[in-house]
Amino acid sequence: MASNFFGQLFRFTTFGESHGPGIGVVIDGCPAGIALTLEDIQTELDKRRPGKNRFTSPRKETDVAEILSGVFEGLTTGAPLTLFIRNVDADSSSYEPLKTLYRPGHANYTYLAKYGHFDYRGGGRSSGRETASRVAAGAVAKKWLAQMGISCTAYISEIGGIAMEEVSEWSQDLREKTVASPIFCPCAQTEEKILAAITQVQEERDSFGGIVTCVAHAPAGLGDPVYGKLEALLASAMLSIPASKGFEIGQGFQAARMRGSEHNDPFDLDAEGRAVPATNQAGGTLGGISTGCPIVFRVAFKPTSSIKRPQATVSLQGERTTFQLQEKSRHDPCLAIRAVPAVEAMAALVLADAVLMQRVVKA
Amino acid sequence: MASNFFGQLFRFTTFGESHGPGIGVVIDGCPAGIALTLEDIQTELDKRRPGKNRFTSPRKETDVAEILSGVFEGLTTGAPLTLFIRNVDADSSSYEPLKTLYRPGHANYTYLAKYGHFDYRGGGRSSGRETASRVAAGAVAKKWLAQMGISCTAYISEIGGIAMEEVSEWSQDLREKTVASPIFCPCAQTEEKILAAITQVQEERDSFGGIVTCVAHAPAGLGDPVYGKLEALLASAMLSIPASKGFEIGQGFQAARMRGSEHNDPFDLDAEGRAVPATNQAGGTLGGISTGCPIVFRVAFKPTSSIKRPQATVSLQGERTTFQLQEKSRHDPCLAIRAVPAVEAMAALVLADAVLMQRVVKA
Amino acid sequence: MASNFFGQLFRFTTFGESHGPGIGVVIDGCPAGIALTLEDIQTELDKRRPGKNRFTSPRKETDVAEILSGVFEGLTTGAPLTLFIRNVDADSSSYEPLKTLYRPGHANYTYLAKYGHFDYRGGGRSSGRETASRVAAGAVAKKWLAQMGISCTAYISEIGGIAMEEVSEWSQDLREKTVASPIFCPCAQTEEKILAAITQVQEERDSFGGIVTCVAHAPAGLGDPVYGKLEALLASAMLSIPASKGFEIGQGFQAARMRGSEHNDPFDLDAEGRAVPATNQAGGTLGGISTGCPIVFRVAFKPTSSIKRPQATVSLQGERTTFQLQEKSRHDPCLAIRAVPAVEAMAALVLADAVLMQRVVKA
Amino acid sequence: MASNFFGQLFRFTTFGESHGPGIGVVIDGCPAGIALTLEDIQTELDKRRPGKNRFTSPRKETDVAEILSGVFEGLTTGAPLTLFIRNVDADSSSYEPLKTLYRPGHANYTYLAKYGHFDYRGGGRSSGRETASRVAAGAVAKKWLAQMGISCTAYISEIGGIAMEEVSEWSQDLREKTVASPIFCPCAQTEEKILAAITQVQEERDSFGGIVTCVAHAPAGLGDPVYGKLEALLASAMLSIPASKGFEIGQGFQAARMRGSEHNDPFDLDAEGRAVPATNQAGGTLGGISTGCPIVFRVAFKPTSSIKRPQATVSLQGERTTFQLQEKSRHDPCLAIRAVPAVEAMAALVLADAVLMQRVVKA
């Protein structure tokens, strides 16, 4: 099924496997006239680079993007914009022993049910590596959104049960701290505690889950009733990221425990005398359309499935057995860290699409 | 923007306003040959009927569906199937005083930002009434899914902080208890406590949020990589329901606090010697594709915005003022209750689409 | 499959059968703020009304449209706009004898192959009556396009081998003559000859094919590379009209017999000093995008299949037999005449979509 | 706008410019399990290779495809299948003089109107070179269709007014003659006359238009009512090919000059006693759905716009001037010849999509 594309107008299709020639993305519908350089793409890709530090997988991908189409003389042309990242460190030999086993927490079980076969080399399309294509596409969206004063920033708000206080208004200072942090956490104390916990969990040959929070600043009016609600698009985008298990906006699940008199955001006048929500419990949307307040949402990620402990499983031949990763195998202790740039990219891609959609609603 | 449709193959478009001639739905892509009667539709519509009891809004809509097209001699024909529900109790006079105010927690603020106007009569397309169209469409999907042994059941698992223990395997007994409960809650003790709390919150002129859990039984192989992951489609479907603020599958946000060794579902052999997950922390999917285990997800709903307390707001003319609902106005004390049939319907519609998609993946 | 919709942004879905409760259309994506009355719709519907004169089928449908949603206080709201036309003269008893026969030139043969059943009452979704839904939707598009100075006019240019000289620039005078003509032919001499020929062919219990030409005035820049070329969208729209067998733009098939030196339109300066094509052999597009010259295209329609002569056929039981329409049955002597408003409506719908699309191409 | 994709289920997106790094295609929705080699792709690409003989442009592209994703161990995986063709002979220096002129018959005029800029190097996305991506995608479709006994063959039926008799049933012998012919013409006498005429038109520094006929063999039941009629999809596909100006199916425009008694195909019994059309005036469809008879359609192509004669035009600076191609410039004397593999590929891609769609119509 045609299920590898996202977006209606700013529509992108990703392709490629973690152990084939490479991965990439075609953006069909990117507006003409955006100034774009390879460096814009590379800066974003470098954020998610594995091997950046010991808290993400040491796999040494260089992740160098090539622009295959859609840019001429430094500007997007309106034609499909294609970005390609060749695989350079794709040693699939370590996957050989996994050919004949169902891996707990992995998709080879379901791919086999669906397609009658599976690509045992590193997960194929279900690999986290696919998110590099999203980050590359997101870099284009972010470049354009920045021209309009629209931004989105994702950060780690919780790992291993260690949570920082939520940030609802975002500043340049926080953004810089986030990018500088090896785990994308803008709060120094939380970062320190989390790093210690990760060291511990690695020693215990185990892994952590985590929560990524994202704050976007965008004007009122984005998002479409009924099935194109901004939160519906964001939820779909976030649950498409590997290992994500939940999405909430504003007070989210906490809202279910509140009363109307607590949760309702009263309206007030701002300094210019315009009506604005006085608080932002809603998280930036009402009826699926942005209010102009910060759009704040959270995404839950399960712990990394690949751990260096023996796990009960079954072989393809139907025999009970034990599965254990090789010592030399390389895996993130917490996938949520590497998911941060993907969350940010998908948010940007949703917003770029919503901006285009907003252009067509009035006669 | 074309944002009132959902689904790729089993694609439906809803239309209509709460205070216009009526509301309805066109299903374009409904397979030919499904036995379908008006009663199949009506049974589902009756579940969400307002005025069913004092715990939902006393607005007396009869919600009688008419089949406008797509059924001939008791069978679907493959042509667009159109269902229409005429509005019969649409007194919009009580909305007149609201014409000139931003209502806290309502979409008139954002609709005005988006379209330059808003339909002050009961919310227009952002009204909860739109979900009757989904329930009608869902009835068709459920009829077809039942033939294939696929089912989905939603229930209230928490209101006002009062939660029942989660149900992961579903039985006919539980299903009957749910339908019989005035608040769709299969646990008698929880129901009793919630009913008492609702009586209390109504006296306090306030409202509750709540959580709806849904359990679906479907075969392995449904859902598509990458952007058509089953959880991405479900998340999008659920966040499109008015007042929803969060979605989680399996352990959801709790998974973010677990370790890999706890969260991974080991594989085992079932009675027939087939490999199956031994536990279901994942909630029924791996890599976005169903495992054959029950699909378990939860949806958070905010408290009803319409409360009979004075709330600070601003007029369209830009003056600070206070908004208070009229005594005679009719509103649900907890929207989550009325959302139960909508959650169930949307789950069925997502699954019907996924079943059709699964037919085309192999050569 | 979901194949009853057309358009990407100005997207409409038609529904209904010729012998069910009625037919209709939902426009999802109609911009907000278009002034629209029921009369705007009715005026267009009246053009295609059967029984308008003896040159079209005498079936006495009143074709009265009802607006079910999407208009509030005389303006479109941006919500789905639904139009419904109840069937009032749907006597299906005369179709009973056809239940067991394959009808030459009709779709019951292929519907049976596709769906395993067919609606013997008047053609179901393959009926020409479906085009009333398009005409209703087209009326909305035309109302909006007129505000922008965009128009399209279709007329009969040939029937029974009798052709009028092509019109490439369109005038108010020609438009009025076309609407006034019982066969939508603006040339009085051609009309007279065609009317005589039709009288003759009816006496001979036979039918004619014909050609509809359409001229649209629209600005440069509409249409999208590569698969959204304006002529590709128009061709798709026209070949979806029942009984159409061909589409050509500009010189069309004649262009295949020309040389480059004849066919190329040189550029020149207009009175304001702007570069414009000096001639319009291309028919208003280059590379799939409008040039600003009139968009001129032609659509071929086959002769009406339903004729009052005996025709060899086969029964569903697999026996050779003869099929002959009843004397009292009502059919158009030439379907092309009734197709004129459908061609015009579909052209308007394609252009409305292209206008919305054009809004999103630049950064 | 997202307009570079085609198809609903077997959906492909093409990308790339004639003078950028290369061109390619992503097929999203290709079924899993099709045996596919690079040679399958290359064989088709070689058919359209420019410089194959003096009757097509001598530009020496090698057109070597690379599979970037979607194939594993010789089988398609169901993941996006990406094919890429690097440009190796893209000397854009000869286009420099064209930077400042509107070229008669070319799209630079309309691209400028649409996007505010244009890629003067060889036409960008409007270049005929884009069709190599379609041919590559078509090779995948053809490989799969062949397994099901579905085939399509295109050939030159007319150039410069020299036409061969139409072929309605296709044989292996005719197919081989077509592939062997330098102009894809299976009739030796017609080929000889056309080759002589092309020599003549080249000497006269002019060009020819032409007609491509395509015959496909496919089972009954393909194509969807109402807007997904097989002829509507084919018409859209064909009019998206550069330089095409018309499409007709069966008797096409000739049907407009016929009577019902002549045009209707009577039904008869075949050798196995099944009802089948006794003739095939319809060209293989009824009501938009295939009958099982050969699907026969024709596509008109305008003469090559690029001719070595002086042509009146206007500069971007708004001055009247004359445009003349350089002597060394390389252009096809008749674009229809090179369009033959593109017509065949697009027909295969339409049919592959229709086959997938047909799988989902019944309950």
Side-chain angles (χ1 to χ4, degrees):
Chain A
M1 259 303 302
S3 63
N4 295 276
F5 73 94
F6 191 90
Q8 280 208 71
L9 293 176
F10 196 101
R11 182 183 302 208
F12 64 95
T13 304
T14 65
F15 60 87
E17 290 85 30
S18 56
H19 288 72
I23 60 170
V25 62
V26 183
I27 306 174
D28 185 13
C30 182
I34 305 171
L36 188 76
T37 65
L38 204 46
E39 201 189 341
D40 294 323
I41 315 292
Q42 203 60 47
T43 303
E44 291 300 313
L45 277 178
D46 288 350
K47 286 186 192 166
R48 73 168 290 290
R49 196 175 59 227
K52 184 176 139 188
N53 56 58
R54 73 182 176 87
F55 304 106
T56 54
S57 149
R59 186 176 165 190
K60 281 181 200 64
E61 293 154 350
T62 46
D63 271 1
V64 176
E66 182 185 3
I67 298 176
L68 293 187
S69 69
V71 178
F72 181 52
E73 300 180 338
L75 295 174
T76 59
T77 63
L81 198 162
T82 309
L83 304 170
F84 186 59
I85 303 165
R86 234 168 239 287
N87 291 328
V88 290
D89 180 34
D91 172 16
S92 60
S93 65
S94 64
Y95 291 98
E96 278 288 325
L98 313 181
K99 264 175 93 158
T100 56
L101 288 181
Y102 292 113
R103 297 180 63 189
H106 277 80
N108 65 357
Y109 180 77
T110 49
Y111 272 63
L112 202 56
K114 186 169 196 74
Y115 297 107
H117 73 92
F118 73 95
D119 182 345
Y120 55 82
R121 305 162 309 163
R125 289 295 286 163
S126 69
S127 163
R129 181 148 175 71
E130 185 272 341
T131 62
S133 302
R134 310 182 191 220
V135 171
V140 181
K142 287 169 85 168
K143 190 74 192 288
W144 180 46
L145 292 173
Q147 293 176 15
M148 296 180 278
I150 300 175
S151 66
C152 41
T153 310
Y155 62 94
I156 285 289
S157 53
E158 182 177 333
I159 283 179
I162 304 159
M164 66 174 275
E165 219 171 307
E166 293 286 331
V167 178
S168 58
E169 280 284 343
W170 205 250
S171 66
Q172 186 55 30
D173 176 55
L174 281 169
R175 193 168 285 119
E176 282 164 16
K177 279 183 181 159
T178 301
V179 174
S181 164
I183 58 165
F184 302 107
C185 180
C187 168
Q189 296 101 304
T190 312
E191 179 194 289
E192 195 186 323
K193 286 186 211 157
I194 290 176
L195 290 179
I198 289 178
T199 302
Q200 181 69 20
V201 88
Q202 282 181 311
E203 278 168 21
E204 295 172 18
R205 312 169 78 77
D206 214 336
S207 64
F208 276 145
I211 294 176
V212 178
T213 300
C214 186
V215 183
H217 291 98
L222 301 183
D224 289 271
V226 173
Y227 302 100
K229 286 191 172 79
L230 200 57
E231 53 263 43
L233 300 175
L234 287 168
S236 165
M238 298 308 146
L239 267 297
S240 77
I241 300 175
S244 65
K245 300 301 287 182
F247 168 89
E248 60 182 6
I249 186 162
Q251 290 288 351
F253 277 86
Q254 195 49 38
R257 284 144 203 151
M258 293 169 79
R259 291 178 167 216
S261 56
E262 296 169 273
H263 187 270
N264 279 355
D265 296 307
F267 287 100
D268 200 357
L269 298 172
D270 69 5
E272 281 80 38
R274 290 170 307 205
V276 289
T279 55
N280 187 23
Q281 313 255 27
T285 69
L286 276 175
I289 301 169
S290 62
T291 59
C293 294
I295 299 162
V296 186
F297 62 87
R298 293 153 45 91
V299 190
F301 289 90
K302 69 175 186 180
T304 312
S305 308
S306 300
I307 51 173
K308 292 180 186 167
R309 292 188 181 196
Q311 299 178 78
T313 191
V314 166
S315 72
L316 267 68
Q317 288 71 40
E319 291 175 346
R320 289 194 179 92
T321 180
T322 294
F323 164 70
Q324 183 158 11
L325 274 179
Q326 292 176 278
E327 273 310 303
K328 64 166 186 173
S329 72
R330 307 163 300 185
H331 291 284
D332 289 355
C334 175
L335 281 174
I337 301 170
R338 192 95 71 81
V340 169
V343 166
E344 200 171 291
M346 290 304 289
L349 290 159
V350 165
L351 290 171
D353 204 28
V355 167
L356 289 181
M357 285 176 171
Q358 179 57 9
R359 293 189 183 180
V360 300
V361 301
K362 290 182 200 170
Chain B
M1 258 302 304
S3 62
N4 296 275
F5 73 94
F6 191 90
Q8 280 208 70
L9 293 176
F10 196 101
R11 182 182 303 208
F12 64 95
T13 304
T14 65
F15 60 88
E17 290 84 31
S18 56
H19 288 73
I23 60 170
V25 62
V26 183
I27 307 174
D28 185 13
C30 183
I34 305 171
L36 188 76
T37 66
L38 205 45
E39 202 189 340
D40 294 323
I41 315 292
Q42 204 58 49
T43 304
E44 292 299 315
L45 276 177
D46 288 350
K47 286 187 191 165
R48 73 168 292 289
R49 197 176 58 226
K52 184 175 140 186
N53 56 59
R54 73 183 176 88
F55 305 106
T56 54
S57 151
R59 186 176 166 192
K60 281 182 201 65
E61 293 154 350
T62 46
D63 271 0
V64 177
E66 181 184 4
I67 298 176
L68 294 187
S69 68
V71 178
F72 180 51
E73 298 180 340
L75 295 175
T76 59
T77 62
L81 198 162
T82 308
L83 304 169
F84 187 59
I85 303 164
R86 234 168 239 285
N87 291 327
V88 291
D89 181 33
D91 172 15
S92 60
S93 65
S94 65
Y95 291 98
E96 278 289 325
L98 313 181
K99 263 175 93 159
T100 56
L101 288 181
Y102 292 113
R103 297 179 63 188
H106 277 79
N108 65 358
Y109 179 78
T110 50
Y111 272 63
L112 203 55
K114 184 169 197 75
Y115 297 107
H117 73 93
F118 73 95
D119 182 344
Y120 56 82
R121 306 162 308 163
R125 289 294 287 162
S126 70
S127 164
R129 181 149 174 72
E130 185 270 343
T131 62
S133 301
R134 309 181 191 220
V135 171
V140 181
K142 287 169 85 169
K143 190 76 192 289
W144 181 45
L145 293 172
Q147 293 176 16
M148 296 179 278
I150 300 175
S151 66
C152 41
T153 310
Y155 62 94
I156 285 289
S157 54
E158 182 177 333
I159 283 180
I162 304 159
M164 65 174 275
E165 220 172 308
E166 292 285 332
V167 178
S168 58
E169 281 284 344
W170 205 251
S171 66
Q172 186 56 30
D173 177 54
L174 281 168
R175 192 169 285 120
E176 282 164 16
K177 281 184 180 160
T178 301
V179 175
S181 164
I183 59 164
F184 301 108
C185 180
C187 169
Q189 297 101 302
T190 311
E191 180 194 287
E192 194 185 324
K193 286 186 211 157
I194 289 176
L195 290 180
I198 288 178
T199 302
Q200 181 69 19
V201 88
Q202 281 181 312
E203 279 169 18
E204 295 173 19
R205 314 169 78 75
D206 215 337
S207 64
F208 276 146
I211 294 176
V212 178
T213 299
C214 186
V215 183
H217 291 98
L222 301 183
D224 289 271
V226 173
Y227 301 100
K229 286 191 172 80
L230 199 57
E231 53 263 43
L233 300 175
L234 287 168
S236 164
M238 298 307 147
L239 267 296
S240 77
I241 299 175
S244 64
K245 301 300 287 184
F247 168 90
E248 60 181 6
I249 186 162
Q251 290 287 352
F253 277 86
Q254 195 49 38
R257 284 142 203 152
M258 293 170 78
R259 290 177 169 217
S261 56
E262 296 169 273
H263 187 271
N264 279 356
D265 296 307
F267 287 99
D268 200 356
L269 298 173
D270 69 5
E272 281 80 38
R274 288 170 309 203
V276 290
T279 56
N280 187 22
Q281 313 255 28
T285 69
L286 277 175
I289 301 168
S290 63
T291 59
C293 294
I295 299 162
V296 186
F297 63 87
R298 293 154 43 92
V299 190
F301 289 90
K302 69 175 187 181
T304 312
S305 308
S306 301
I307 52 173
K308 292 180 186 166
R309 293 188 180 195
Q311 298 179 77
T313 192
V314 166
S315 72
L316 268 67
Q317 288 70 41
E319 291 176 348
R320 289 193 178 93
T321 180
T322 295
F323 165 70
Q324 183 157 13
L325 275 178
Q326 292 176 278
E327 274 310 305
K328 63 166 185 174
S329 72
R330 308 164 298 185
H331 293 283
D332 289 355
C334 174
L335 281 174
I337 302 169
R338 193 97 69 81
V340 169
V343 166
E344 200 170 291
M346 289 304 289
L349 290 157
V350 165
L351 290 171
D353 205 28
V355 167
L356 289 181
M357 285 176 174
Q358 179 58 9
R359 293 188 183 181
V360 300
V361 301
K362 290 182 201 171
Chain C
M1 269 322 312
S3 63
N4 295 276
F5 73 94
F6 191 91
Q8 281 210 69
L9 294 176
F10 196 100
R11 182 183 302 210
F12 65 95
T13 303
T14 65
F15 60 89
E17 291 85 30
S18 55
H19 288 72
I23 59 169
V25 64
V26 184
I27 306 175
D28 185 12
C30 183
I34 306 171
L36 188 76
T37 65
L38 204 44
E39 202 190 340
D40 294 323
I41 315 291
Q42 204 59 48
T43 304
E44 292 298 314
L45 277 177
D46 288 350
K47 285 187 192 166
R48 74 168 291 290
R49 197 176 58 227
K52 183 175 142 189
N53 56 59
R54 75 184 174 87
F55 305 106
T56 54
S57 149
R59 186 175 166 190
K60 283 184 200 63
E61 293 154 349
T62 47
D63 272 0
V64 176
E66 183 184 4
I67 297 176
L68 294 186
S69 69
V71 178
F72 181 51
E73 299 180 340
L75 294 175
T76 59
T77 62
L81 198 162
T82 309
L83 304 169
F84 186 59
I85 304 165
R86 234 167 240 286
N87 291 328
V88 291
D89 180 32
D91 172 15
S92 60
S93 66
S94 65
Y95 292 96
E96 278 289 324
L98 313 181
K99 264 176 95 158
T100 56
L101 288 182
Y102 293 113
R103 298 180 63 189
H106 277 80
N108 65 355
Y109 179 77
T110 50
Y111 272 64
L112 202 54
K114 184 169 197 76
Y115 298 107
H117 74 93
F118 73 96
D119 182 344
Y120 55 84
R121 305 163 308 163
R125 289 294 287 164
S126 70
S127 164
R129 181 150 174 71
E130 185 270 342
T131 62
S133 302
R134 309 181 190 219
V135 170
V140 181
K142 287 168 85 169
K143 190 74 190 290
W144 181 45
L145 293 173
Q147 293 176 15
M148 296 180 276
I150 300 175
S151 66
C152 40
T153 311
Y155 61 95
I156 286 288
S157 54
E158 181 177 334
I159 283 179
I162 304 160
M164 65 174 276
E165 220 172 306
E166 292 286 331
V167 178
S168 57
E169 280 285 344
W170 204 250
S171 67
Q172 187 55 29
D173 176 55
L174 281 168
R175 191 168 286 120
E176 283 164 17
K177 280 183 181 161
T178 301
V179 174
S181 163
I183 58 164
F184 301 108
C185 180
C187 169
Q189 296 102 301
T190 312
E191 179 194 288
E192 195 185 322
K193 286 185 211 160
I194 290 176
L195 291 179
I198 289 177
T199 302
Q200 181 69 19
V201 88
Q202 281 181 311
E203 278 168 20
E204 295 173 17
R205 313 168 78 76
D206 214 336
S207 65
F208 277 146
I211 294 175
V212 178
T213 300
C214 186
V215 183
H217 292 98
L222 301 182
D224 288 271
V226 173
Y227 301 99
K229 287 193 171 80
L230 199 56
E231 53 262 44
L233 301 174
L234 287 168
S236 165
M238 299 307 147
L239 267 296
S240 76
I241 300 175
S244 65
K245 300 300 288 183
F247 168 89
E248 59 181 8
I249 187 163
Q251 290 288 349
F253 278 86
Q254 194 51 37
R257 284 143 201 150
M258 292 169 78
R259 291 178 166 214
S261 56
E262 295 169 273
H263 187 271
N264 280 355
D265 295 308
F267 287 100
D268 200 356
L269 299 173
D270 69 4
E272 280 81 38
R274 289 170 307 205
V276 289
T279 56
N280 187 22
Q281 313 256 27
T285 69
L286 276 175
I289 301 168
S290 64
T291 59
C293 294
I295 299 162
V296 186
F297 63 87
R298 293 152 46 90
V299 190
F301 290 90
K302 70 176 185 179
T304 313
S305 307
S306 299
I307 51 173
K308 292 179 186 167
R309 292 189 181 195
Q311 299 179 76
T313 192
V314 166
S315 72
L316 267 68
Q317 288 71 41
E319 292 176 347
R320 289 193 178 92
T321 180
T322 295
F323 164 70
Q324 182 159 11
L325 276 178
Q326 291 176 279
E327 273 310 302
K328 63 166 186 176
S329 72
R330 309 163 297 185
H331 293 283
D332 289 354
C334 175
L335 281 174
I337 301 169
R338 193 97 71 81
V340 169
V343 166
E344 201 171 289
M346 291 303 291
L349 290 158
V350 165
L351 289 171
D353 204 28
V355 167
L356 289 181
M357 286 177 172
Q358 178 57 9
R359 292 188 183 180
V360 299
V361 301
K362 289 182 201 169
Chain D
M1 257 302 303
S3 62
N4 294 276
F5 72 95
F6 191 90
Q8 281 208 69
L9 294 175
F10 197 101
R11 182 182 302 208
F12 64 95
T13 304
T14 64
F15 60 88
E17 290 85 30
S18 56
H19 289 74
I23 60 170
V25 63
V26 183
I27 306 174
D28 185 12
C30 183
I34 305 171
L36 188 76
T37 65
L38 204 44
E39 202 190 340
D40 293 324
I41 315 292
Q42 203 59 49
T43 304
E44 292 299 314
L45 277 178
D46 287 350
K47 284 187 194 167
R48 73 167 293 288
R49 197 175 59 227
K52 183 177 142 187
N53 57 57
R54 75 183 174 85
F55 305 106
T56 54
S57 148
R59 187 176 166 190
K60 283 183 201 63
E61 293 154 351
T62 46
D63 271 0
V64 177
E66 182 184 4
I67 298 176
L68 294 186
S69 70
V71 178
F72 181 51
E73 299 181 338
L75 294 175
T76 59
T77 62
L81 198 163
T82 309
L83 304 170
F84 186 58
I85 304 166
R86 235 168 238 286
N87 291 327
V88 290
D89 180 34
D91 172 15
S92 61
S93 65
S94 65
Y95 291 97
E96 278 289 323
L98 312 181
K99 265 176 92 158
T100 56
L101 288 182
Y102 292 113
R103 296 179 65 189
H106 277 80
N108 65 356
Y109 179 78
T110 49
Y111 272 62
L112 202 55
K114 185 170 197 74
Y115 298 107
H117 73 92
F118 73 96
D119 182 344
Y120 54 83
R121 305 163 308 163
R125 288 296 285 164
S126 70
S127 163
R129 181 151 173 71
E130 185 270 342
T131 61
S133 302
R134 310 182 190 219
V135 171
V140 181
K142 287 168 85 169
K143 190 75 190 289
W144 181 45
L145 293 173
Q147 293 176 17
M148 295 180 277
I150 301 176
S151 66
C152 40
T153 311
Y155 61 94
I156 285 288
S157 54
E158 182 178 334
I159 284 179
I162 304 160
M164 66 174 276
E165 221 171 304
E166 292 286 330
V167 178
S168 58
E169 280 285 342
W170 206 250
S171 66
Q172 186 57 28
D173 176 54
L174 280 168
R175 192 169 285 120
E176 282 164 15
K177 280 182 181 160
T178 301
V179 174
S181 164
I183 59 166
F184 301 108
C185 180
C187 169
Q189 296 100 302
T190 311
E191 179 194 288
E192 194 185 324
K193 286 185 211 158
I194 290 176
L195 291 179
I198 288 179
T199 302
Q200 180 69 20
V201 88
Q202 281 181 311
E203 278 169 19
E204 295 173 17
R205 313 171 78 75
D206 215 336
S207 64
F208 276 146
I211 294 175
V212 178
T213 299
C214 186
V215 182
H217 291 98
L222 302 183
D224 289 271
V226 173
Y227 301 100
K229 286 192 173 80
L230 199 57
E231 52 263 43
L233 301 174
L234 287 169
S236 165
M238 298 307 146
L239 267 296
S240 77
I241 300 175
S244 65
K245 302 299 289 182
F247 167 90
E248 59 181 7
I249 187 164
Q251 289 289 351
F253 277 86
Q254 194 50 37
R257 284 144 202 150
M258 292 169 79
R259 291 179 167 214
S261 57
E262 295 169 275
H263 187 271
N264 279 356
D265 295 307
F267 287 100
D268 200 356
L269 299 173
D270 69 4
E272 280 80 39
R274 289 170 308 205
V276 289
T279 56
N280 188 22
Q281 313 256 27
T285 70
L286 276 175
I289 301 169
S290 63
T291 59
C293 295
I295 299 162
V296 185
F297 63 87
R298 292 154 44 93
V299 190
F301 290 90
K302 69 176 187 181
T304 313
S305 307
S306 300
I307 52 172
K308 292 180 186 167
R309 292 188 181 196
Q311 298 179 76
T313 191
V314 166
S315 72
L316 267 68
Q317 288 72 39
E319 291 176 349
R320 288 191 179 94
T321 180
T322 294
F323 165 69
Q324 183 158 10
L325 276 178
Q326 291 175 279
E327 274 309 305
K328 64 166 186 175
S329 72
R330 307 163 299 184
H331 292 283
D332 289 354
C334 175
L335 282 173
I337 301 170
R338 192 97 71 81
V340 169
V343 166
E344 200 170 290
M346 291 302 291
L349 290 158
V350 166
L351 290 171
D353 205 29
V355 167
L356 289 181
M357 286 178 172
Q358 179 57 8
R359 292 189 184 178
V360 299
V361 301
K362 290 181 202 170

